[in-house]
Amino acid sequence: MAIVSLKEVTKIYPLGKTEVHAVNGVSFDIARGDFISIAGPSGSGKSTILNMIGCIDVPTSGTVELNNHITSGLTDREITELRHKFVGFIFQSFNLIPVLNVFENIEFPLLLGKKSIEQKKRKEWTDYLVEEVGLKEWTKHRPNELSGGQRQRVAIARSMATKPELVLADEPTANLDSETSESIIELMKKINKDMNTTFIFSTHDPTIMDLAKHIIKLKDGLVTSEYRREK
Ligand SMILES: Nc1ncnc2c1ncn2[C@@H]1O[C@H](COP(=O)(O)OP(=O)(O)OP(=O)(O)O)[C@@H](O)[C@H]1O
Ligand SMILES: [Mg+2]
């Protein structure tokens, strides 16, 4: 069963008196546990597609299904719940909270849910995540004391805090050098393997794109190719 399914998805943005066709009838399925890149040049529709999968934006026509539920049929409350529990987000600009240290940034999503988690369990799980992303020595440091790659590691750990089934990362390596970029994708791949979390990341970089197991290439809002790499 697909965890994500796009069926003939189109997104048109009004732009003054004209309109922009950002996505033009795109269909694809993503299996649970997949590790997929959505690749394409600037303006090809990568962010628009990720935003529709993450329920940040809605299609103009066609449907996006998460776990076989059509997202446009959900209530606001269901979407909020889904975004909190089912989906994790990673951004190109990291989006960490500057006044919180590494531990606190990673723990933060756990303080937002309706059901409070016992402090001991919260600490254990956060410690595990800090370790998983290799930042044990940096637990008490604030984001401005970290490199870009370390910041993105914090963001990855934070995205995993609520144990989401799906993580969406829009150009997670856009602000990183090529070596750090590869290590960030490898870290996501390790989590994908360890926890069977489905990852979808976008990139315009062919080297980064090729680190995925399943690749969807976009151009002008259309899928130009889709293939899998066995490794
Ligand atoms: N809110 C908006 N209003 C109008 N047009 C938009 C809006 N968001 C995106 N677009 C247009 O839709 C098209 C696809 O944009 P999108 O941001 O999805 O591309 P992208 O592949 O993520 O590009 P980049 O690599 O630069 O991030 C572009 O032509 C863009 O200008
Ligand atoms: Mg984009």
Side-chain angles (χ1 to χ4, degrees):
M1 187 184 87
I3 188 167
V4 176
S5 180
L6 271 68
K7 295 192 167 77
E8 288 298 320
V9 170
T10 293
K11 180 70 192 184
I12 301 169
Y13 291 110
L15 189 72
K17 283 181 186 152
T18 60
E19 38 188 39
V20 181
H21 290 245
V23 177
N24 293 302
V26 163
S27 303
F28 58 76
D29 283 341
I30 298 175
R32 190 174 299 279
D34 208 346
F35 191 76
I36 182 167
S37 66
I38 296 189
S42 181
S44 58
K46 304 182 295 294
S47 296
T48 305
I49 286 178
L50 285 179
N51 289 344
M52 289 190 286
I53 296 173
C55 302
I56 292 168
D57 207 343
V58 288
T60 309
S61 65
T63 56
V64 175
E65 292 177 21
L66 297 181
N67 257 349
N68 280 6
H69 295 288
I70 297 178
T71 55
S72 50
L74 301 174
T75 63
D76 285 351
R77 182 190 290 249
E78 284 168 333
I79 286 175
T80 306
E81 175 116 349
L82 192 81
R83 279 220 298 265
H84 180 66
K85 294 224 331 258
F86 183 80
V87 193
F89 293 91
I90 298 168
F91 304 92
Q92 83 177 52
S93 50
F94 321 131
N95 290 14
L96 302 177
I97 301 172
V99 297
L100 301 183
N101 67 31
V102 166
F103 182 95
E104 292 162 342
N105 263 286
I106 296 170
E107 182 193 35
F108 190 67
L110 298 175
L111 304 171
L112 297 178
K114 252 187 271 158
K115 266 197 230 145
S116 64
I117 302 164
E118 193 197 326
Q119 200 203 343
K120 188 164 163 276
K121 280 218 177 102
R122 215 167 57 217
K123 183 171 184 321
E124 273 170 16
W125 177 236
T126 307
D127 279 338
Y128 172 82
L129 290 172
V130 170
E131 185 125 26
E132 176 84 1
V133 299
L135 289 176
K136 204 169 169 211
E137 264 81 81
W138 298 86
T139 310
K140 294 271 162 58
H141 290 258
R142 288 186 182 178
N144 66 357
E145 298 167 325
L146 306 177
S147 68
Q150 289 171 325
R151 288 180 205 195
Q152 199 56 307
R153 286 171 182 273
V154 178
I156 290 170
R158 180 187 55 185
S159 79
M160 294 305 302
T162 55
K163 302 183 186 167
E165 290 177 49
L166 173 68
V167 172
L168 301 175
D170 194 4
E171 304 221 34
T173 64
N175 287 320
L176 304 172
D177 63 63
S178 59
E179 202 179 315
T180 310
S181 296
E182 284 191 28
S183 75
I184 287 296
I185 302 297
E186 291 304 334
L187 172 62
M188 288 174 14
K189 203 185 256 180
K190 178 176 185 295
I191 294 172
N192 162 258
K193 200 165 153 239
D194 290 353
M195 304 191 202
N196 201 36
T197 311
T198 308
F199 277 82
I200 308 175
F201 66 94
S202 69
T203 182
H204 58 260
D205 181 339
T207 314
I208 296 302
M209 166 191 92
D210 269 338
L211 298 172
K213 292 179 194 159
H214 179 180
I215 296 143
I216 292 180
K217 283 196 200 169
L218 290 180
K219 200 180 170 208
D220 299 330
L222 288 165
V223 175
T224 54
S225 71
E226 178 175 0
Y227 55 96
R228 281 159 217 278
R229 298 169 65 89
E230 287 313 322
K231 56 175 187 184

